[in-house]
Amino acid sequence: MTNWLPDLSRGSGPVYLRLADSIETAIASGALAAGSKLPPQRNLAYDIGVTIGTIGRAYALVHERGLVAGEVGRGTYVLDRVAATLNNQPDPLTVALGGTRAIDAPANKIRFDTTAAPDLGQGKIIGRVLAEIGEQKLSEISSYSRVFPQNWYEAGRQWLARNDWMPKTENIVPTLGAHAAAISVIAAVSSPGDKIVFENLSYTQVSRSARILGRRTITVDSDDDGVLPDDFERLCLQQHPKLAFLMPTAHNPTLATMPLERRARIAEIAKRHGVWLIEDDLYGGMTGDETPLLASLAPDRTFLISGLSKAVAAGVRGGWVACPPHFAQRIKVTHKMITGGLPFILAEACARLVESGEAHAIRRASVEELSVRERLARQQFQGFDFTSHPHVPFLWLKLPDPWLSGTFKNAAYRDGVLIDDEDEFRAARSDKVYHRVRVGFSSPKNSEDLAAGLMILRRLLESGGAGYDGEI
């Protein structure tokens, strides 16, 4: 253990910040060499006459800077900066918020871990639309989007309309995709510390983002038909959540679709307990399912969100939210604060794609292509337990014994295929184990790559104990 003491006479600002800077300077100069143990927090607090809390904040700050590592029961040690750079280890917060996917996906793998719209050549259509906007709207695309044209709202009204229900134009907010729409709603109608309901398995990009905003995540039980109303009511009575994020149609990743009777109960419970609802219909619009939307059953408390990423093109970042009456302006302002603003060229391109009918045509073509791919996946996985839908770009695969979800994912990665294990979709810690993986099949460029990836997964499933033992 080093006898080093900091020099806090230099610099300005809070003591903990000056202490952290002093530690960083000492490491850079070699006064604190790699492997050195920093003084125990209690001892250093006594030596320099500050509280132990001040020392803790400084040590936490240099830990975030990647300068030290703490080991329970052993203390805090200076890291080897060269080795740390070579290892390129992410900090714990990055790991906690990043999920189970690789931060930078390797280029030499077959990607079954994404469900973006398949590449059908729609880039040419989008490029033409962008070129037209560039010719016609030179001043608009070179400045901030301060005024939203009416066609942006009308396009959202058309895209969100489903099953004889259509939102009013004045309740529409254009957004930078469905994810931005969901986060904007959460930020607008809840406060730090409020509880947000997610299903045990959910689109966790939203739940992790909600935690960054200081919201607390609680989970509701589900079955093959979606959220269990009795458990939702139990949460409402005991936990008093502010909002629930739900995917009633083609749930990600289970593909469950909630029947009408259950939707009606969820809507009634939410109304009785004053809980706002976010209805994510990103995949629902592709299914052709005729079950009424939650937004049609509870229009006064449901925010319906969808976008173009899964059916048209992920790169244009197009999305909309249909709000309960009188909430559109609040969501619009919050979306701007959260995202920095809506780029004119993207919002205009999305609106033109929808209003011209080209977005609808691309969606129909995507659904046809996905049907072909889903049939191929069904053939490859014949004899195994899985759930799929002919219009949705993924399937939910049950693993045979003795495979574990994470182990199978690692084995697939080793053999050149990226998939998602069940932990990628856990909104919170849970004792429930599904022994499943999600296999997305929209990304491969051609049928050969798709077939090759599916065959690799089939071979792993059939390898049983041999493949499992190789991953221990």
PDB file of all heavy atoms in Angstrom, residues 162-163 225 227 229 246-250 256-270 277 279 281 284 287 289-298:
ATOM      1  N   ARG A 162     -55.323   1.569 -37.939  1.00  0.00           N
ATOM      2  CA  ARG A 162     -55.438   0.118 -38.067  1.00  0.00           C
ATOM      3  C   ARG A 162     -56.792  -0.348 -37.548  1.00  0.00           C
ATOM      4  O   ARG A 162     -57.322   0.190 -36.567  1.00  0.00           O
ATOM      5  CB  ARG A 162     -54.303  -0.556 -37.284  1.00  0.00           C
ATOM      6  CG  ARG A 162     -53.814  -1.838 -37.942  1.00  0.00           C
ATOM      7  CD  ARG A 162     -52.405  -2.182 -37.563  1.00  0.00           C
ATOM      8  NE  ARG A 162     -52.187  -2.550 -36.188  1.00  0.00           N
ATOM      9  CZ  ARG A 162     -52.543  -3.723 -35.649  1.00  0.00           C
ATOM     10  NH1 ARG A 162     -53.176  -4.632 -36.377  1.00  0.00           N
ATOM     11  NH2 ARG A 162     -52.282  -3.981 -34.387  1.00  0.00           N
ATOM     12  N   ASN A 163     -57.345  -1.355 -38.218  1.00  0.00           N
ATOM     13  CA  ASN A 163     -58.557  -2.024 -37.760  1.00  0.00           C
ATOM     14  C   ASN A 163     -59.716  -1.049 -37.521  1.00  0.00           C
ATOM     15  O   ASN A 163     -60.326  -1.013 -36.448  1.00  0.00           O
ATOM     16  CB  ASN A 163     -58.275  -2.814 -36.471  1.00  0.00           C
ATOM     17  CG  ASN A 163     -57.237  -3.902 -36.681  1.00  0.00           C
ATOM     18  OD1 ASN A 163     -56.919  -4.252 -37.820  1.00  0.00           O
ATOM     19  ND2 ASN A 163     -56.703  -4.437 -35.609  1.00  0.00           N
ATOM     20  N   ASP A 225     -50.868 -15.608 -23.962  1.00  0.00           N
ATOM     21  CA  ASP A 225     -51.769 -14.585 -24.483  1.00  0.00           C
ATOM     22  C   ASP A 225     -51.374 -13.178 -24.051  1.00  0.00           C
ATOM     23  O   ASP A 225     -52.148 -12.234 -24.206  1.00  0.00           O
ATOM     24  CB  ASP A 225     -53.208 -14.867 -24.037  1.00  0.00           C
ATOM     25  CG  ASP A 225     -53.820 -16.053 -24.776  1.00  0.00           C
ATOM     26  OD1 ASP A 225     -53.426 -16.288 -25.933  1.00  0.00           O
ATOM     27  OD2 ASP A 225     -54.674 -16.745 -24.187  1.00  0.00           O
ATOM     28  N   VAL A 227     -49.978 -10.153 -21.264  1.00  0.00           N
ATOM     29  CA  VAL A 227     -50.013  -9.725 -19.864  1.00  0.00           C
ATOM     30  C   VAL A 227     -51.192 -10.358 -19.120  1.00  0.00           C
ATOM     31  O   VAL A 227     -52.313 -10.429 -19.633  1.00  0.00           O
ATOM     32  CB  VAL A 227     -50.110  -8.189 -19.785  1.00  0.00           C
ATOM     33  CG1 VAL A 227     -50.348  -7.725 -18.353  1.00  0.00           C
ATOM     34  CG2 VAL A 227     -48.849  -7.552 -20.345  1.00  0.00           C
ATOM     35  N   PRO A 229     -53.934  -9.975 -16.575  1.00  0.00           N
ATOM     36  CA  PRO A 229     -54.627  -8.838 -15.947  1.00  0.00           C
ATOM     37  C   PRO A 229     -54.590  -8.853 -14.426  1.00  0.00           C
ATOM     38  O   PRO A 229     -54.443  -7.800 -13.799  1.00  0.00           O
ATOM     39  CB  PRO A 229     -56.059  -8.970 -16.480  1.00  0.00           C
ATOM     40  CG  PRO A 229     -55.906  -9.695 -17.783  1.00  0.00           C
ATOM     41  CD  PRO A 229     -54.795 -10.667 -17.564  1.00  0.00           C
ATOM     42  N   LEU A 246     -46.371  -1.775 -23.169  1.00  0.00           N
ATOM     43  CA  LEU A 246     -46.926  -3.064 -23.580  1.00  0.00           C
ATOM     44  C   LEU A 246     -46.824  -3.241 -25.095  1.00  0.00           C
ATOM     45  O   LEU A 246     -46.825  -2.268 -25.844  1.00  0.00           O
ATOM     46  CB  LEU A 246     -48.393  -3.170 -23.155  1.00  0.00           C
ATOM     47  CG  LEU A 246     -48.699  -2.934 -21.668  1.00  0.00           C
ATOM     48  CD1 LEU A 246     -50.206  -2.954 -21.432  1.00  0.00           C
ATOM     49  CD2 LEU A 246     -48.002  -3.980 -20.800  1.00  0.00           C
ATOM     50  N   MET A 247     -46.740  -4.495 -25.508  1.00  0.00           N
ATOM     51  CA  MET A 247     -46.752  -4.858 -26.931  1.00  0.00           C
ATOM     52  C   MET A 247     -47.857  -5.888 -27.138  1.00  0.00           C
ATOM     53  O   MET A 247     -47.594  -7.096 -27.175  1.00  0.00           O
ATOM     54  CB  MET A 247     -45.391  -5.427 -27.343  1.00  0.00           C
ATOM     55  CG  MET A 247     -44.276  -4.407 -27.343  1.00  0.00           C
ATOM     56  SD  MET A 247     -42.645  -5.134 -27.689  1.00  0.00           S
ATOM     57  CE  MET A 247     -42.250  -5.800 -26.069  1.00  0.00           C
ATOM     58  N   PRO A 248     -49.104  -5.454 -27.274  1.00  0.00           N
ATOM     59  CA  PRO A 248     -50.216  -6.404 -27.326  1.00  0.00           C
ATOM     60  C   PRO A 248     -50.239  -7.289 -28.567  1.00  0.00           C
ATOM     61  O   PRO A 248     -50.783  -8.393 -28.523  1.00  0.00           O
ATOM     62  CB  PRO A 248     -51.454  -5.488 -27.284  1.00  0.00           C
ATOM     63  CG  PRO A 248     -50.963  -4.195 -26.728  1.00  0.00           C
ATOM     64  CD  PRO A 248     -49.567  -4.058 -27.229  1.00  0.00           C
ATOM     65  N   THR A 249     -49.690  -6.823 -29.688  1.00  0.00           N
ATOM     66  CA  THR A 249     -49.725  -7.589 -30.931  1.00  0.00           C
ATOM     67  C   THR A 249     -48.310  -7.927 -31.376  1.00  0.00           C
ATOM     68  O   THR A 249     -47.470  -7.042 -31.517  1.00  0.00           O
ATOM     69  CB  THR A 249     -50.429  -6.797 -32.046  1.00  0.00           C
ATOM     70  OG1 THR A 249     -51.701  -6.345 -31.589  1.00  0.00           O
ATOM     71  CG2 THR A 249     -50.627  -7.662 -33.283  1.00  0.00           C
ATOM     72  N   ALA A 250     -48.057  -9.231 -31.583  1.00  0.00           N
ATOM     73  CA  ALA A 250     -46.738  -9.712 -31.989  1.00  0.00           C
ATOM     74  C   ALA A 250     -45.665  -9.221 -31.024  1.00  0.00           C
ATOM     75  O   ALA A 250     -44.716  -8.543 -31.390  1.00  0.00           O
ATOM     76  CB  ALA A 250     -46.415  -9.296 -33.417  1.00  0.00           C
ATOM     77  N   ALA A 256     -46.458 -13.280 -28.667  1.00  0.00           N
ATOM     78  CA  ALA A 256     -47.817 -13.400 -28.136  1.00  0.00           C
ATOM     79  C   ALA A 256     -48.669 -12.241 -28.626  1.00  0.00           C
ATOM     80  O   ALA A 256     -48.201 -11.109 -28.764  1.00  0.00           O
ATOM     81  CB  ALA A 256     -47.779 -13.396 -26.606  1.00  0.00           C
ATOM     82  N   THR A 257     -49.941 -12.541 -28.896  1.00  0.00           N
ATOM     83  CA  THR A 257     -50.919 -11.513 -29.255  1.00  0.00           C
ATOM     84  C   THR A 257     -52.076 -11.586 -28.270  1.00  0.00           C
ATOM     85  O   THR A 257     -52.708 -12.633 -28.100  1.00  0.00           O
ATOM     86  CB  THR A 257     -51.417 -11.690 -30.691  1.00  0.00           C
ATOM     87  OG1 THR A 257     -50.349 -11.397 -31.601  1.00  0.00           O
ATOM     88  CG2 THR A 257     -52.582 -10.759 -30.992  1.00  0.00           C
ATOM     89  N   MET A 258     -52.333 -10.479 -27.614  1.00  0.00           N
ATOM     90  CA  MET A 258     -53.326 -10.425 -26.554  1.00  0.00           C
ATOM     91  C   MET A 258     -54.741 -10.431 -27.133  1.00  0.00           C
ATOM     92  O   MET A 258     -55.060  -9.626 -28.010  1.00  0.00           O
ATOM     93  CB  MET A 258     -53.095  -9.147 -25.728  1.00  0.00           C
ATOM     94  CG  MET A 258     -53.764  -9.130 -24.382  1.00  0.00           C
ATOM     95  SD  MET A 258     -53.509  -7.518 -23.526  1.00  0.00           S
ATOM     96  CE  MET A 258     -51.714  -7.496 -23.388  1.00  0.00           C
ATOM     97  N   PRO A 259     -55.607 -11.325 -26.665  1.00  0.00           N
ATOM     98  CA  PRO A 259     -57.000 -11.344 -27.154  1.00  0.00           C
ATOM     99  C   PRO A 259     -57.781 -10.123 -26.674  1.00  0.00           C
ATOM    100  O   PRO A 259     -57.386  -9.442 -25.716  1.00  0.00           O
ATOM    101  CB  PRO A 259     -57.567 -12.636 -26.580  1.00  0.00           C
ATOM    102  CG  PRO A 259     -56.712 -12.943 -25.395  1.00  0.00           C
ATOM    103  CD  PRO A 259     -55.344 -12.413 -25.716  1.00  0.00           C
ATOM    104  N   LEU A 260     -58.892  -9.868 -27.331  1.00  0.00           N
ATOM    105  CA  LEU A 260     -59.687  -8.675 -27.057  1.00  0.00           C
ATOM    106  C   LEU A 260     -60.129  -8.592 -25.604  1.00  0.00           C
ATOM    107  O   LEU A 260     -60.041  -7.528 -24.980  1.00  0.00           O
ATOM    108  CB  LEU A 260     -60.909  -8.641 -27.982  1.00  0.00           C
ATOM    109  CG  LEU A 260     -61.913  -7.513 -27.722  1.00  0.00           C
ATOM    110  CD1 LEU A 260     -61.249  -6.153 -27.838  1.00  0.00           C
ATOM    111  CD2 LEU A 260     -63.089  -7.625 -28.692  1.00  0.00           C
ATOM    112  N   GLU A 261     -60.611  -9.706 -25.051  1.00  0.00           N
ATOM    113  CA  GLU A 261     -61.124  -9.671 -23.681  1.00  0.00           C
ATOM    114  C   GLU A 261     -60.035  -9.239 -22.694  1.00  0.00           C
ATOM    115  O   GLU A 261     -60.298  -8.474 -21.756  1.00  0.00           O
ATOM    116  CB  GLU A 261     -61.668 -11.051 -23.286  1.00  0.00           C
ATOM    117  CG  GLU A 261     -62.854 -11.525 -24.108  1.00  0.00           C
ATOM    118  CD  GLU A 261     -62.459 -12.039 -25.487  1.00  0.00           C
ATOM    119  OE1 GLU A 261     -61.243 -12.259 -25.728  1.00  0.00           O
ATOM    120  OE2 GLU A 261     -63.359 -12.199 -26.334  1.00  0.00           O
ATOM    121  N   ARG A 262     -58.836  -9.692 -22.931  1.00  0.00           N
ATOM    122  CA  ARG A 262     -57.734  -9.332 -22.036  1.00  0.00           C
ATOM    123  C   ARG A 262     -57.341  -7.869 -22.226  1.00  0.00           C
ATOM    124  O   ARG A 262     -57.035  -7.172 -21.259  1.00  0.00           O
ATOM    125  CB  ARG A 262     -56.549 -10.266 -22.255  1.00  0.00           C
ATOM    126  CG  ARG A 262     -55.473 -10.103 -21.201  1.00  0.00           C
ATOM    127  CD  ARG A 262     -54.417 -11.176 -21.272  1.00  0.00           C
ATOM    128  NE  ARG A 262     -54.913 -12.494 -20.921  1.00  0.00           N
ATOM    129  CZ  ARG A 262     -54.134 -13.538 -20.653  1.00  0.00           C
ATOM    130  NH1 ARG A 262     -52.812 -13.407 -20.702  1.00  0.00           N
ATOM    131  NH2 ARG A 262     -54.650 -14.709 -20.349  1.00  0.00           N
ATOM    132  N   ARG A 263     -57.343  -7.405 -23.461  1.00  0.00           N
ATOM    133  CA  ARG A 263     -57.033  -5.989 -23.706  1.00  0.00           C
ATOM    134  C   ARG A 263     -58.047  -5.093 -22.994  1.00  0.00           C
ATOM    135  O   ARG A 263     -57.687  -4.056 -22.419  1.00  0.00           O
ATOM    136  CB  ARG A 263     -57.033  -5.698 -25.199  1.00  0.00           C
ATOM    137  CG  ARG A 263     -55.956  -6.424 -25.972  1.00  0.00           C
ATOM    138  CD  ARG A 263     -55.939  -6.027 -27.435  1.00  0.00           C
ATOM    139  NE  ARG A 263     -55.108  -6.948 -28.197  1.00  0.00           N
ATOM    140  CZ  ARG A 263     -54.373  -6.628 -29.250  1.00  0.00           C
ATOM    141  NH1 ARG A 263     -54.380  -5.380 -29.689  1.00  0.00           N
ATOM    142  NH2 ARG A 263     -53.642  -7.524 -29.874  1.00  0.00           N
ATOM    143  N   ALA A 264     -59.309  -5.493 -23.064  1.00  0.00           N
ATOM    144  CA  ALA A 264     -60.344  -4.691 -22.416  1.00  0.00           C
ATOM    145  C   ALA A 264     -60.123  -4.630 -20.909  1.00  0.00           C
ATOM    146  O   ALA A 264     -60.313  -3.579 -20.279  1.00  0.00           O
ATOM    147  CB  ALA A 264     -61.717  -5.269 -22.741  1.00  0.00           C
ATOM    148  N   ARG A 265     -59.704  -5.740 -20.307  1.00  0.00           N
ATOM    149  CA  ARG A 265     -59.443  -5.754 -18.872  1.00  0.00           C
ATOM    150  C   ARG A 265     -58.238  -4.886 -18.517  1.00  0.00           C
ATOM    151  O   ARG A 265     -58.262  -4.152 -17.534  1.00  0.00           O
ATOM    152  CB  ARG A 265     -59.210  -7.189 -18.393  1.00  0.00           C
ATOM    153  CG  ARG A 265     -60.476  -8.025 -18.237  1.00  0.00           C
ATOM    154  CD  ARG A 265     -60.214  -9.204 -17.325  1.00  0.00           C
ATOM    155  NE  ARG A 265     -59.841  -8.771 -15.967  1.00  0.00           N
ATOM    156  CZ  ARG A 265     -59.287  -9.584 -15.052  1.00  0.00           C
ATOM    157  NH1 ARG A 265     -59.020 -10.850 -15.364  1.00  0.00           N
ATOM    158  NH2 ARG A 265     -58.993  -9.124 -13.848  1.00  0.00           N
ATOM    159  N   ILE A 266     -57.182  -4.988 -19.321  1.00  0.00           N
ATOM    160  CA  ILE A 266     -56.000  -4.164 -19.075  1.00  0.00           C
ATOM    161  C   ILE A 266     -56.371  -2.685 -19.157  1.00  0.00           C
ATOM    162  O   ILE A 266     -55.959  -1.871 -18.317  1.00  0.00           O
ATOM    163  CB  ILE A 266     -54.882  -4.495 -20.089  1.00  0.00           C
ATOM    164  CG1 ILE A 266     -54.370  -5.926 -19.887  1.00  0.00           C
ATOM    165  CG2 ILE A 266     -53.739  -3.490 -19.986  1.00  0.00           C
ATOM    166  CD1 ILE A 266     -53.690  -6.170 -18.571  1.00  0.00           C
ATOM    167  N   ALA A 267     -57.156  -2.327 -20.167  1.00  0.00           N
ATOM    168  CA  ALA A 267     -57.572  -0.929 -20.328  1.00  0.00           C
ATOM    169  C   ALA A 267     -58.401  -0.467 -19.137  1.00  0.00           C
ATOM    170  O   ALA A 267     -58.221   0.657 -18.624  1.00  0.00           O
ATOM    171  CB  ALA A 267     -58.355  -0.772 -21.626  1.00  0.00           C
ATOM    172  N   GLU A 268     -59.298  -1.337 -18.662  1.00  0.00           N
ATOM    173  CA  GLU A 268     -60.159  -0.964 -17.529  1.00  0.00           C
ATOM    174  C   GLU A 268     -59.350  -0.806 -16.246  1.00  0.00           C
ATOM    175  O   GLU A 268     -59.556   0.135 -15.469  1.00  0.00           O
ATOM    176  CB  GLU A 268     -61.234  -2.039 -17.362  1.00  0.00           C
ATOM    177  CG  GLU A 268     -62.319  -1.694 -16.344  1.00  0.00           C
ATOM    178  CD  GLU A 268     -61.908  -2.085 -14.925  1.00  0.00           C
ATOM    179  OE1 GLU A 268     -61.178  -3.091 -14.776  1.00  0.00           O
ATOM    180  OE2 GLU A 268     -62.307  -1.380 -13.968  1.00  0.00           O
ATOM    181  N   ILE A 269     -58.395  -1.706 -16.025  1.00  0.00           N
ATOM    182  CA  ILE A 269     -57.553  -1.629 -14.828  1.00  0.00           C
ATOM    183  C   ILE A 269     -56.699  -0.360 -14.866  1.00  0.00           C
ATOM    184  O   ILE A 269     -56.562   0.348 -13.860  1.00  0.00           O
ATOM    185  CB  ILE A 269     -56.660  -2.887 -14.715  1.00  0.00           C
ATOM    186  CG1 ILE A 269     -57.517  -4.123 -14.451  1.00  0.00           C
ATOM    187  CG2 ILE A 269     -55.610  -2.713 -13.615  1.00  0.00           C
ATOM    188  CD1 ILE A 269     -56.774  -5.438 -14.612  1.00  0.00           C
ATOM    189  N   ALA A 270     -56.127  -0.074 -16.024  1.00  0.00           N
ATOM    190  CA  ALA A 270     -55.304   1.132 -16.156  1.00  0.00           C
ATOM    191  C   ALA A 270     -56.117   2.386 -15.874  1.00  0.00           C
ATOM    192  O   ALA A 270     -55.655   3.311 -15.192  1.00  0.00           O
ATOM    193  CB  ALA A 270     -54.703   1.192 -17.554  1.00  0.00           C
ATOM    194  N   LEU A 277     -50.678   4.170 -20.572  1.00  0.00           N
ATOM    195  CA  LEU A 277     -50.267   3.009 -21.356  1.00  0.00           C
ATOM    196  C   LEU A 277     -49.501   3.449 -22.602  1.00  0.00           C
ATOM    197  O   LEU A 277     -49.915   4.383 -23.288  1.00  0.00           O
ATOM    198  CB  LEU A 277     -51.484   2.192 -21.803  1.00  0.00           C
ATOM    199  CG  LEU A 277     -52.396   1.630 -20.699  1.00  0.00           C
ATOM    200  CD1 LEU A 277     -53.625   0.978 -21.316  1.00  0.00           C
ATOM    201  CD2 LEU A 277     -51.627   0.631 -19.831  1.00  0.00           C
ATOM    202  N   GLU A 279     -48.588   1.720 -26.060  1.00  0.00           N
ATOM    203  CA  GLU A 279     -48.856   0.550 -26.902  1.00  0.00           C
ATOM    204  C   GLU A 279     -47.869   0.561 -28.065  1.00  0.00           C
ATOM    205  O   GLU A 279     -47.968   1.387 -28.969  1.00  0.00           O
ATOM    206  CB  GLU A 279     -50.288   0.571 -27.422  1.00  0.00           C
ATOM    207  CG  GLU A 279     -50.634  -0.616 -28.295  1.00  0.00           C
ATOM    208  CD  GLU A 279     -52.098  -0.656 -28.704  1.00  0.00           C
ATOM    209  OE1 GLU A 279     -52.782   0.374 -28.546  1.00  0.00           O
ATOM    210  OE2 GLU A 279     -52.563  -1.713 -29.175  1.00  0.00           O
ATOM    211  N   ASP A 281     -46.801  -0.780 -31.325  1.00  0.00           N
ATOM    212  CA  ASP A 281     -47.416  -1.529 -32.431  1.00  0.00           C
ATOM    213  C   ASP A 281     -46.462  -1.685 -33.604  1.00  0.00           C
ATOM    214  O   ASP A 281     -46.877  -1.804 -34.745  1.00  0.00           O
ATOM    215  CB  ASP A 281     -48.700  -0.805 -32.882  1.00  0.00           C
ATOM    216  CG  ASP A 281     -49.629  -1.720 -33.668  1.00  0.00           C
ATOM    217  OD1 ASP A 281     -49.822  -2.876 -33.252  1.00  0.00           O
ATOM    218  OD2 ASP A 281     -50.153  -1.272 -34.711  1.00  0.00           O
ATOM    219  N   GLY A 284     -47.032  -5.033 -34.881  1.00  0.00           N
ATOM    220  CA  GLY A 284     -48.456  -5.288 -35.053  1.00  0.00           C
ATOM    221  C   GLY A 284     -48.971  -4.871 -36.404  1.00  0.00           C
ATOM    222  O   GLY A 284     -49.814  -5.548 -37.014  1.00  0.00           O
ATOM    223  N   THR A 287     -48.764  -7.585 -39.117  1.00  0.00           N
ATOM    224  CA  THR A 287     -49.358  -8.913 -38.935  1.00  0.00           C
ATOM    225  C   THR A 287     -50.694  -9.111 -39.635  1.00  0.00           C
ATOM    226  O   THR A 287     -51.064 -10.242 -39.941  1.00  0.00           O
ATOM    227  CB  THR A 287     -49.573  -9.193 -37.438  1.00  0.00           C
ATOM    228  OG1 THR A 287     -50.511  -8.231 -36.917  1.00  0.00           O
ATOM    229  CG2 THR A 287     -48.263  -9.098 -36.674  1.00  0.00           C
ATOM    230  N   ASP A 289     -53.341  -8.602 -38.004  1.00  0.00           N
ATOM    231  CA  ASP A 289     -54.221  -8.986 -36.895  1.00  0.00           C
ATOM    232  C   ASP A 289     -55.356  -7.970 -36.764  1.00  0.00           C
ATOM    233  O   ASP A 289     -55.133  -6.759 -36.815  1.00  0.00           O
ATOM    234  CB  ASP A 289     -53.418  -9.045 -35.594  1.00  0.00           C
ATOM    235  CG  ASP A 289     -54.277  -9.428 -34.401  1.00  0.00           C
ATOM    236  OD1 ASP A 289     -54.655 -10.605 -34.319  1.00  0.00           O
ATOM    237  OD2 ASP A 289     -54.569  -8.545 -33.579  1.00  0.00           O
ATOM    238  N   GLU A 290     -56.567  -8.451 -36.569  1.00  0.00           N
ATOM    239  CA  GLU A 290     -57.745  -7.593 -36.549  1.00  0.00           C
ATOM    240  C   GLU A 290     -58.234  -7.264 -35.144  1.00  0.00           C
ATOM    241  O   GLU A 290     -59.273  -6.621 -34.990  1.00  0.00           O
ATOM    242  CB  GLU A 290     -58.872  -8.254 -37.353  1.00  0.00           C
ATOM    243  CG  GLU A 290     -58.532  -8.419 -38.837  1.00  0.00           C
ATOM    244  CD  GLU A 290     -59.670  -9.034 -39.629  1.00  0.00           C
ATOM    245  OE1 GLU A 290     -60.670  -9.463 -39.001  1.00  0.00           O
ATOM    246  OE2 GLU A 290     -59.567  -9.091 -40.872  1.00  0.00           O
ATOM    247  N   THR A 291     -57.498  -7.683 -34.117  1.00  0.00           N
ATOM    248  CA  THR A 291     -57.906  -7.363 -32.742  1.00  0.00           C
ATOM    249  C   THR A 291     -57.820  -5.859 -32.518  1.00  0.00           C
ATOM    250  O   THR A 291     -56.816  -5.234 -32.869  1.00  0.00           O
ATOM    251  CB  THR A 291     -57.002  -8.083 -31.732  1.00  0.00           C
ATOM    252  OG1 THR A 291     -56.904  -9.471 -32.078  1.00  0.00           O
ATOM    253  CG2 THR A 291     -57.554  -7.946 -30.324  1.00  0.00           C
ATOM    254  N   PRO A 292     -58.847  -5.247 -31.936  1.00  0.00           N
ATOM    255  CA  PRO A 292     -58.805  -3.799 -31.705  1.00  0.00           C
ATOM    256  C   PRO A 292     -57.589  -3.389 -30.875  1.00  0.00           C
ATOM    257  O   PRO A 292     -57.154  -4.092 -29.967  1.00  0.00           O
ATOM    258  CB  PRO A 292     -60.113  -3.535 -30.945  1.00  0.00           C
ATOM    259  CG  PRO A 292     -61.025  -4.627 -31.377  1.00  0.00           C
ATOM    260  CD  PRO A 292     -60.155  -5.827 -31.561  1.00  0.00           C
ATOM    261  N   LEU A 293     -57.049  -2.235 -31.210  1.00  0.00           N
ATOM    262  CA  LEU A 293     -55.902  -1.695 -30.491  1.00  0.00           C
ATOM    263  C   LEU A 293     -56.306  -1.235 -29.090  1.00  0.00           C
ATOM    264  O   LEU A 293     -57.457  -0.849 -28.855  1.00  0.00           O
ATOM    265  CB  LEU A 293     -55.329  -0.506 -31.250  1.00  0.00           C
ATOM    266  CG  LEU A 293     -54.733  -0.778 -32.631  1.00  0.00           C
ATOM    267  CD1 LEU A 293     -54.568   0.535 -33.386  1.00  0.00           C
ATOM    268  CD2 LEU A 293     -53.401  -1.493 -32.507  1.00  0.00           C
ATOM    269  N   LEU A 294     -55.345  -1.264 -28.170  1.00  0.00           N
ATOM    270  CA  LEU A 294     -55.588  -0.646 -26.866  1.00  0.00           C
ATOM    271  C   LEU A 294     -55.964   0.819 -27.027  1.00  0.00           C
ATOM    272  O   LEU A 294     -56.788   1.348 -26.274  1.00  0.00           O
ATOM    273  CB  LEU A 294     -54.333  -0.757 -25.993  1.00  0.00           C
ATOM    274  CG  LEU A 294     -54.093  -2.049 -25.212  1.00  0.00           C
ATOM    275  CD1 LEU A 294     -52.742  -1.981 -24.509  1.00  0.00           C
ATOM    276  CD2 LEU A 294     -55.208  -2.300 -24.202  1.00  0.00           C
ATOM    277  N   ALA A 295     -55.341   1.472 -28.016  1.00  0.00           N
ATOM    278  CA  ALA A 295     -55.620   2.890 -28.248  1.00  0.00           C
ATOM    279  C   ALA A 295     -57.078   3.139 -28.607  1.00  0.00           C
ATOM    280  O   ALA A 295     -57.601   4.230 -28.356  1.00  0.00           O
ATOM    281  CB  ALA A 295     -54.717   3.424 -29.351  1.00  0.00           C
ATOM    282  N   SER A 296     -57.729   2.155 -29.202  1.00  0.00           N
ATOM    283  CA  SER A 296     -59.148   2.314 -29.525  1.00  0.00           C
ATOM    284  C   SER A 296     -60.030   1.994 -28.330  1.00  0.00           C
ATOM    285  O   SER A 296     -61.155   2.481 -28.227  1.00  0.00           O
ATOM    286  CB  SER A 296     -59.524   1.422 -30.709  1.00  0.00           C
ATOM    287  OG  SER A 296     -59.464   0.044 -30.352  1.00  0.00           O
ATOM    288  N   LEU A 297     -59.503   1.162 -27.397  1.00  0.00           N
ATOM    289  CA  LEU A 297     -60.267   0.804 -26.204  1.00  0.00           C
ATOM    290  C   LEU A 297     -60.097   1.831 -25.091  1.00  0.00           C
ATOM    291  O   LEU A 297     -61.008   2.034 -24.285  1.00  0.00           O
ATOM    292  CB  LEU A 297     -59.827  -0.579 -25.700  1.00  0.00           C
ATOM    293  CG  LEU A 297     -59.999  -1.749 -26.673  1.00  0.00           C
ATOM    294  CD1 LEU A 297     -59.369  -3.005 -26.090  1.00  0.00           C
ATOM    295  CD2 LEU A 297     -61.471  -1.984 -26.987  1.00  0.00           C
ATOM    296  N   ALA A 298     -58.918   2.446 -25.031  1.00  0.00           N
ATOM    297  CA  ALA A 298     -58.639   3.436 -23.977  1.00  0.00           C
ATOM    298  C   ALA A 298     -57.927   4.630 -24.590  1.00  0.00           C
ATOM    299  O   ALA A 298     -56.764   4.907 -24.280  1.00  0.00           O
ATOM    300  CB  ALA A 298     -57.793   2.795 -22.879  1.00  0.00           C
TER     301      ALA A 298
END
